[in-house]
Amino acid sequence: MKNFSIRNRLLIGTALLLLVTLLPPFYYFDNTLRGDIMNDAEDRAVKGLDTVEHILKEYALPADSNELDARLTRLGERMGMRITYIVDGIVVADSNVPIEDIPSLDPHGGRPEVRQALDGETGLEIRYSTTLKKYLIYVARTVHGANGLQDGVLRVAIPVSVAKERLDRLESGMTWMFLVVILASSLIAYFSTRPLLRSIIELASTAQSIGQGHYNRRIREYPGTEFKPLVDAINGMAHNIEQHLSMLVDQKGRLEAVFNGMNEGVMVFDSAGRIHSFNKALTTIFPGIEQKIGATPIEATMKPELHRMVIDLIEQGEDESGVRTQMELSDSRFFEVNLVPFKDPAGARRVVAVFYDISERERLEKVRRDFVANVSHELKTPLTSIKGFAETLIESPPAKPEQTATFLKTILKNANHMTKMVNSLLVLARTQHKGEMTDLAPVDAHEVIRQSLRDLSHTAQAKNITLEDMLPEGPLSVLGDRDGLMEVFRNLLDNAIKYSPAGSSVSVTARPHEGKMALCVRDQGPGIPEKAKDRIFERFYRIEHPSEPAAKNGSAGLGLAICRRIIKSHGGDIWVESPLDPATGTGAAFFATLQTAERQNADKPE
Ligand code: ADP
């Protein structure tokens, strides 16, 4: 029954209903009517028989059989019946058979009603008469002692009934009508269920399309009010799914934005340890990773240790703790990698790896290590010297006082060198501590330079070096920190005097440069080799000039580093041009650019 369509069920149901409602009453009425008709016909036949018998007995009858036949024929016509008189089984007269045909009639002694009559009863038989081509009721009775009539059997036959024929016709008519009604009701059921079925099919297809992901679709029309709860449920379900979906899409979008906006590279591995997804930052860490979806970690990163860790984490089973490692990539970038296992909705174990760029941290750590090593190294030499001379003075003091003075001078020189270096380191630390940009205020650079020249005039005189202030007359207003600028020019002038040959000159000039003021300290010293032009601004970097060895002049290689840091914190630039005299390959010019105070005013909004 499950596989029957609603339409077929309706058709079969209607047919069965018609059968159940129409057949029993029809059968009942047919039977009752038929029974009544038969009883009535039998009564009429018996009454007819009585009447004919009475007539035969009461009125004289001709002995001539021809006359008898003629009388019975007239009587039969009047009474509307067939009257037959049978003697010894032979028909002697019959109202419906011409006299000349009577001898050819079959013997009637064997007829059931005749035999019953011969037995002394009123015989009765209903039979189809081939002579009259209709059903007849035959009643027969033995007749004794009728007037002038030989004893025999009187038989009367009347048609069962016209009603019975009508009943038969009605029966076949009813059968036809029944078939037609079934056919008609089937057609009505077929056509009346068409719109219903169409609506149901439409409803089902909308529900199916919602199920396939078109959550914005709704069922608007339905076959009947009975379907309303179902339709409301489906529409409600679609609405809820649509809302949850949009929430999920929104959350996914936000997560993706976070995922791709992260500075850290993120790589997600599937349960087989293959790359499943990654974020944008990872593409900068591993260029070309876009083509490596589905690849193993070793294929994508060429890092066997990463591959091993991912596989270990996946195979570890229930352990939820992750692992952390550091790795260096081929381009000298350092990464801290955090690998954390997790379970996906299917319960499979997967791994997410986060790559955190620690290159800068590593670089700073290296700088710190180098710095400490350099400082220790720089301090170690003078300290060893001081310690050595001091021990000599204590354990075996020199006999001559001049020698003692030489020892003490050496100790003092080394102590001065250390003091200078510690001071330089403090200045460097201070400028570092101040951060990138210094608070700038208008400063007269000309005044600062004049002061620096004054401070170093004795040193210059000692070497017979002429200091030339070639700046234009009047103040030179720049933006800066006075102390910082003083430190810069003292260092530059000090170096220029230190490395210049005796009798030469050191000059200070100024010229505009790319919208700023470039101040220049020029000397006629040994100059700076091409390869060292950038490096002299690094901490502890020194050039060994044969004329002026670092060991002798106490150079620690920090002065220019301090200058660069201060100038950078002023938003300026520092560089060296050398040689100034191509013929001799000598001379150096140190440039430092500074913002002019007017320019800043001009930049300020009104
Ligand atoms: P320090 O503070 O010890 O003098 P600097 O950082 O100032 O060290 O200088 C670094 C190196 O640059 C020095 O060792 C020196 O060899 C070289 N240098 C600096 N100024 C000059 C210059 N005017 N002429 C030649 N060499 C110089």
Side-chain angles (χ1 to χ4, degrees):
M1 207 54 184
K2 246 184 188 176
N3 297 331
F4 272 78
S5 69
I6 290 184
R7 173 175 284 161
N8 286 345
R9 285 181 204 199
L10 267 172
L11 293 180
I12 294 168
T14 314
L16 284 175
L17 187 73
L18 285 170
L19 270 176
V20 171
T21 51
L22 292 181
L23 267 189
F26 173 71
Y27 182 75
Y28 172 76
F29 285 119
D30 187 54
N31 266 1
T32 321
L33 213 58
R34 205 172 282 278
D36 288 351
I37 287 168
M38 291 311 290
N39 288 340
D40 182 50
E42 279 170 21
D43 282 354
R44 276 193 297 116
V46 172
K47 272 192 187 129
L49 182 68
D50 288 346
T51 310
V52 174
E53 188 185 2
H54 173 77
I55 290 168
L56 289 181
K57 282 187 175 169
E58 289 298 317
Y59 303 99
L61 288 170
D64 179 11
S65 60
N66 282 356
E67 190 55 29
L68 178 69
D69 187 75
R71 285 230 188 140
L72 288 185
T73 302
R74 282 197 298 276
L75 195 62
E77 274 171 8
R78 277 174 197 271
M79 291 180 73
M81 3 175 114
R82 179 184 175 188
I83 305 167
T84 314
Y85 197 71
I86 304 152
V87 177
D88 296 334
I90 305 297
V91 177
V92 291
D94 193 308
S95 61
N96 286 34
V97 181
I99 188 72
E100 59 274 11
D101 293 341
I102 286 178
S104 60
L105 286 174
D106 296 335
H108 274 46
R111 299 282 198 271
E113 71 280 2
V114 176
R115 274 199 272 115
Q116 285 170 25
L118 289 173
D119 289 343
E121 301 165 13
T122 302
L124 192 143
E125 168 80 358
I126 299 165
R127 206 169 51 240
Y128 187 76
S129 162
T130 45
T131 321
L132 298 178
K133 307 259 184 292
K134 58 173 87 165
Y135 276 94
L136 297 174
I137 295 179
Y138 295 92
V139 281
R141 194 179 287 153
T142 318
V143 178
H144 298 285
N147 287 331
L149 199 65
Q150 207 179 344
D151 287 354
V153 174
L154 175 67
R155 189 185 76 170
V156 167
I158 59 167
V160 169
S161 162
V162 180
K164 184 179 179 298
E165 282 169 17
R166 283 189 190 154
L167 213 59
D168 287 345
R169 281 208 300 279
L170 181 76
E171 204 171 76
S172 73
M174 279 294 279
T175 310
W176 278 111
M177 192 189 77
F178 184 71
L179 290 175
V180 169
V181 164
I182 285 195
L183 187 74
S185 63
S186 302
L187 285 174
I188 289 168
Y190 178 84
F191 285 108
S192 66
T193 52
R194 236 157 70 139
L196 174 84
L197 291 182
R198 203 176 290 157
S199 298
I200 290 176
I201 289 168
E202 218 160 275
L203 187 151
S205 99
T206 314
Q208 201 176 21
S209 124
I210 290 171
Q212 281 167 351
H214 302 106
Y215 301 115
N216 55 345
R217 289 199 63 179
R218 295 288 178 275
I219 301 167
R220 311 250 176 245
E221 283 172 24
Y222 42 91
T225 48
E226 294 86 349
F227 286 84
K228 196 170 182 309
L230 175 70
V231 168
D232 285 349
I234 294 174
N235 282 344
M237 200 170 68
H239 175 74
N240 283 346
I241 294 176
E242 193 182 14
Q243 273 199 332
H244 283 128
L245 204 72
S246 78
M247 214 163 72
L248 283 177
V249 167
D250 181 49
Q251 279 178 353
K252 188 171 172 269
R254 268 187 278 169
L255 276 177
E256 264 176 10
V258 171
F259 195 54
N260 285 325
M262 283 170 73
N263 284 332
E264 291 79 18
V266 180
M267 202 187 264
V268 182
F269 298 95
D270 64 17
S271 54
R274 291 176 178 275
I275 295 173
H276 173 266
S277 54
F278 49 79
N279 71 346
K280 216 171 170 186
L282 199 89
T283 57
T284 58
I285 301 171
F286 297 108
I289 194 88
E290 292 91 337
Q291 280 86 48
K292 300 283 172 57
I293 290 279
T296 57
I298 194 167
E299 287 166 351
T301 64
M302 309 298 275
K303 292 281 168 193
E305 67 270 28
L306 180 70
H307 184 90
R308 191 174 25 78
M309 282 191 289
V310 170
I311 299 298
D312 283 354
L313 277 175
I314 287 172
E315 288 175 354
Q316 244 166 38
E318 289 304 304
D319 193 356
E320 292 294 311
S321 53
V323 286
R324 177 181 293 203
T325 185
Q326 285 189 3
M327 63 176 60
E328 187 186 355
L329 298 186
S330 52
D331 53 2
S332 308
R333 281 185 301 161
F334 284 88
F335 286 91
E336 189 171 278
V337 189
N338 271 326
L339 293 128
V340 184
F342 70 99
K343 276 187 181 168
D344 65 12
R349 212 170 143 83
R350 297 167 67 179
V351 170
V352 61
V354 181
F355 292 76
Y356 181 67
D357 193 343
I358 53 164
S359 309
E360 183 60 16
R361 202 173 81 189
E362 282 293 306
R363 193 186 66 78
L364 289 175
E365 183 58 26
K366 186 173 178 299
V367 167
R368 193 189 62 78
R369 277 197 308 270
D370 290 352
F371 182 74
V372 171
N374 280 331
V375 170
S376 316
H377 178 76
E378 290 302 323
L379 289 175
K380 206 173 160 194
T381 316
L383 265 177
T384 313
S385 172
I386 290 170
K387 192 168 171 267
F389 280 107
E391 278 170 357
T392 312
L393 281 174
I394 293 166
E395 284 163 16
S396 47
K400 294 180 185 168
E402 307 88 62
Q403 222 173 349
T404 307
T406 313
F407 281 15
L408 288 172
K409 271 184 193 162
T410 311
I411 289 173
L412 185 65
K413 199 184 103 195
N414 281 303
N416 281 339
H417 175 65
M418 280 167 63
T419 309
K420 190 186 164 200
M421 197 164 73
V422 169
N423 283 337
S424 298
L425 285 172
L426 283 174
V427 173
L428 202 60
R430 202 174 61 226
T431 49
Q432 258 174 346
H433 184 70
K434 276 188 176 177
E436 280 299 297
M437 289 296 287
T438 313
D439 288 338
L440 304 177
V443 177
D444 182 3
H446 200 167
E447 190 272 322
V448 173
I449 287 167
R450 264 200 306 266
Q451 179 64 47
S452 306
L453 287 171
R454 262 199 305 275
D455 290 349
L456 292 162
S457 57
H458 289 292
T459 325
Q461 267 172 17
K463 277 186 84 177
N464 193 24
I465 287 171
T466 319
L467 297 177
E468 294 174 17
D469 175 0
M470 296 171 78
L471 296 175
E473 285 292 318
L476 185 63
S477 194
V478 294
L479 290 174
D481 165 51
R482 193 176 185 285
D483 292 349
L485 293 183
M486 189 72 95
E487 184 75 34
V488 171
F489 289 113
R490 264 207 203 133
N491 263 308
L492 293 179
L493 285 168
D494 186 47
N495 280 345
I497 294 166
K498 201 177 347 180
Y499 297 107
S500 290
S504 63
S505 66
V506 169
S507 62
V508 185
T509 58
R511 67 169 198 229
H513 179 83
E514 293 177 0
K516 290 182 180 159
M517 184 55 67
L519 294 157
C520 170
V521 176
R522 205 177 285 265
D523 65 56
Q524 293 162 348
I528 310 290
E530 191 62 37
K531 62 176 181 354
K533 277 182 182 170
D534 282 331
R535 299 211 61 195
I536 50 170
F537 295 101
E538 289 174 13
R539 282 171 307 192
F540 301 111
Y541 186 83
R542 288 169 304 205
I543 306 168
E544 283 299 329
H545 295 296
S547 59
E548 196 67 31
K552 194 180 147 213
N553 68 28
S555 166
L558 288 171
L560 286 178
I562 292 170
C563 290
R564 183 174 67 172
R565 186 160 292 281
I566 293 172
I567 291 297
K568 288 277 178 197
S569 73
H570 278 64
D573 213 354
I574 189 166
W575 72 96
V576 63
E577 288 177 9
S578 181
L580 300 180
D581 182 356
T584 56
T586 57
F590 284 82
F591 290 88
T593 57
L594 290 167
Q595 296 177 53
T596 55
E598 293 80 23
R599 183 176 156 69
Q600 196 211 27
N601 289 338
D603 286 348
K604 270 189 188 167
E606 289 295 312

